[in-house]
């Protein structure tokens, strides 16, 4: 039987939360505007998306594709085979589902999915979260109808300038602050004590974890509390520090509570993290990862630091600077308030809504 529902969308998103959560935000707004929409996410069964997407109520389909390792690795020999198989997996699904619009959010999973959607005539939207666009989006830009970027400076890396919109990075519908007392109690913490949140991303950040481990005694000494997301790769190494005032977990499911319970956030400077911090007005210390293309996280953080909207500590200086900077900020309510107010000016809370409406408009144009 022919599917007559015009609101059929596919999303290619995953690998990390930075690529996944903006896609979820757009999908949520599409569902909010058209509850009858049919939405399918593509990703890798071994990555974060396979766990997170179903929890948000969206269908998830796995393809074989995985990332290309930057350093020499024998697993790279399989990459061309995985790419071809994933392209055919995607194409077979597209021929049955016939999505009106496909949304690619960067990373390796976008390649075969967006290619397959373009073959059957779907409209294509690309989302670029970082200041320096990834390889997937630069390769796919010719097939795109629109490209929505987070940073103005991203535009110079694309060839088709008329397709680009500086819309901002979509933030999830369910991301908002709740009562701090309620949030702290969810982690078994005292709402009256100052609380620090350390985030190394869904996979974790070794240098950030190592620096946190060096200052765990500070939390008892200064009567502070810590919510510490180590990442799944590092949890076993650091779980020994779990204590009454220190809550350690591999991955935080309830980020709404974690942000709400915290007075200061220490995190990497990925575009999605910055978008969430900006939307919620959270005072932050940003320690950009040095292991990213074109050092884009540093430039993400620098833009905020130059506007006094966040504190920037380079990765190489974490060991020497983190402890003193933490003490300086957490004890000064006025500084925390100034950082909070300033980072709010970087927020574009309408981004998810704008992109969702663009996708809906494209779907309605197709006969």
């Amino acid at each position: 039987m022919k599917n007559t529902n015009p609101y059929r969308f596919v999303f290619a998103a995953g690998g990390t939360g930075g690529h996944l959560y903006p896609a979820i935000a757009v999908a949520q707004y599409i569902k909010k505007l058209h509850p009858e929409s049919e939405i399918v996410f593509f990703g890798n069964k071994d990555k974060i998306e396979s766990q997170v997407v179903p929890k948000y109520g969206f269908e998830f389909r796995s393809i074989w594709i995985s990332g290309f390792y930057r350093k020499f690795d024998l697993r790279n020999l399989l990459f061309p085979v995985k790419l071809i198989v994933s392209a055919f997996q995607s194409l077979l699904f597209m021929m049955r589902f016939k999505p009106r619009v496909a949304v690619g959010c960067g990373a390796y999973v976008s390649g075969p999915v967006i290619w397959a959607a373009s073959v059957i005539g779907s409209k294509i939207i690309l989302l670029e979260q970082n200041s320096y666009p990834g390889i997937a989006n630069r390769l796919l830009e010719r097939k795109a109808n629109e490209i929505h970027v987070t940073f103005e400076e991203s535009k110079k890396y694309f060839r088709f300038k008329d397709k680009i919109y500086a819309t901002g990075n979509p933030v999830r519908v369910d991301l908002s602050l709740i009562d701090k007392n309620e949030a702290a109690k969810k982690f078994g913490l005292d709402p009256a004590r100052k609380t620090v949140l350390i985030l190394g991303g869904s996979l974790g950040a070794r240098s950030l974890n190592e620096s946190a481990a060096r200052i765990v005694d500070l939390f008892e000494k200064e009567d502070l509390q810590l919510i510490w997301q180590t990442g799944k790769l590092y949890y076993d190494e650091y779980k020994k520090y779990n204590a009454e005032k220190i809550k350690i977990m591999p991955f935080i499911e309830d980020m709404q509570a974690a942000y709400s319970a915290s007075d200061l956030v220490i995190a990497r400077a990925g575009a999605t993290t910055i978008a969430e911090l900006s939307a919620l007005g959270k005072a932050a210390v940003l320690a950009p990862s040095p292991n990213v293309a074109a050092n884009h996280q540093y430039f993400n953080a620098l833009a905020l630091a130059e506007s006094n909207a966040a504190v920037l500590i380079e990765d190489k200086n974490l060991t020497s600077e983190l402890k003193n900077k933490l003490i300086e900020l957490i004890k000064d309510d006025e500084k925390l308030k100034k950082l909070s107010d300033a980072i709010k000016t970087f927020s574009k809370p309408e981004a998810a809504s704008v992109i969702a409406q663009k996708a809906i408009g494209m779907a309605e144009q197709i006969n």
Side-chain angles (χ1 to χ4, degrees), residues 128 147-155 161 163-169 348 350-351 354-355:
E128 180 53 62
I147 303 169
H148 292 267
V149 300
T150 299
F151 297 95
E152 283 283 347
E153 54 264 36
S154 301
K155 292 180 177 180
K161 311 298 184 188
K163 297 181 179 182
I164 304 174
Y165 300 83
T167 311
N169 202 10
K348 292 187 176 180
E350 74 287 350
V354 168
I355 297 168

Side-chain angles (χ1 to χ4, degrees), residues 32-234:
K32 181 179 179 181
L33 296 171
H34 285 279
E36 73 275 25
S37 298
E38 298 174 43
I39 297 174
V40 179
F41 276 74
F42 278 80
N44 185 301
K45 65 181 176 64
D46 297 320
K47 297 296 184 180
I48 182 176
E49 56 268 27
S50 67
Q51 301 297 317
V52 172
V53 168
K55 290 180 181 178
Y56 280 88
F58 298 111
E59 181 179 347
F60 175 76
R61 287 186 172 260
S62 175
I63 55 177
W64 195 29
I65 194 68
S66 61
F68 191 85
Y69 298 89
R70 293 178 184 273
K71 296 179 181 179
F72 177 76
D73 192 303
L74 289 175
R75 287 174 291 183
N76 284 337
L77 297 176
L78 263 180
F79 183 78
V81 179
K82 288 185 175 183
L83 185 63
I84 292 170
V85 170
S86 297
F88 277 102
Q89 287 177 315
S90 302
L91 184 58
L92 287 173
F93 177 82
M94 301 302 170
M95 292 171 68
R96 293 195 303 270
F97 184 60
K98 294 182 172 59
R100 295 286 184 101
V101 179
V103 182
C105 301
Y108 51 83
V109 71
S110 285
V113 175
I114 297 304
W115 170 81
S118 70
V119 167
I120 66 143
S122 302
K123 298 289 186 181
I124 305 297
I125 293 176
L126 299 181
L127 309 186
E128 180 53 62
Q129 299 85 22
N130 293 308
S131 55
Y132 183 77
I135 293 173
N137 277 347
R138 281 180 282 144
L139 291 175
L140 291 168
E141 68 168 307
R142 185 179 294 277
K143 298 186 180 298
N145 296 91
E146 292 184 1
I147 303 169
H148 292 267
V149 300
T150 299
F151 297 95
E152 283 283 347
E153 54 264 36
S154 301
K155 292 180 177 180
K156 64 186 177 185
Y157 299 107
F158 290 103
R159 291 167 293 167
F160 302 96
K161 311 298 184 188
D162 58 324
K163 297 181 179 182
I164 304 174
Y165 300 83
T167 311
N169 202 10
V171 175
R172 288 167 279 167
V173 171
D174 59 340
L175 191 69
S176 59
L177 295 179
I178 61 174
D179 179 70
K180 185 180 179 182
N181 291 345
E182 177 188 340
K185 288 176 182 176
K186 286 188 175 186
F187 292 96
L189 296 174
D190 182 353
R193 290 192 177 104
K194 289 286 184 68
T195 301
V196 177
L197 171 63
I198 295 182
L199 300 171
S202 56
L203 299 178
R206 176 168 291 281
S207 58
L208 200 53
N209 285 330
E210 289 175 347
S211 297
R214 289 190 183 97
I215 62 171
V216 288
D217 60 323
L218 176 71
F219 292 89
E220 184 63 41
K221 181 180 177 182
E222 299 290 338
D223 199 26
L224 302 173
Q225 298 176 140
L226 172 63
I227 301 171
W228 179 2
Q229 177 180 282
T230 61
K232 294 181 180 179
L233 296 177
Y234 303 104

Side-chain angles (χ1 to χ4, degrees), residues 216-257:
V216 288
D217 60 323
L218 176 71
F219 292 89
E220 184 63 41
K221 181 180 177 182
E222 299 290 338
D223 199 26
L224 302 173
Q225 298 176 140
L226 172 63
I227 301 171
W228 179 2
Q229 177 180 282
T230 61
K232 294 181 180 179
L233 296 177
Y234 303 104
Y235 176 67
D236 287 341
E237 184 177 351
Y238 294 104
K239 64 184 180 182
K240 62 186 177 184
Y241 294 111
N242 201 57
E244 181 184 353
K245 297 179 183 178
I246 299 175
K247 304 303 177 183
I248 299 176
M249 53 209 74
F251 182 73
I252 299 173
E253 295 284 353
D254 192 348
M255 281 304 303
Q256 182 183 46

Side-chain angles (χ1 to χ4, degrees), residues 275-296:
E276 293 182 349
L277 294 171
S278 302
L280 299 176
K282 300 304 296 183
V285 173
L286 299 177
S289 170
N291 306 311
V292 294
N295 203 21
H296 67 254

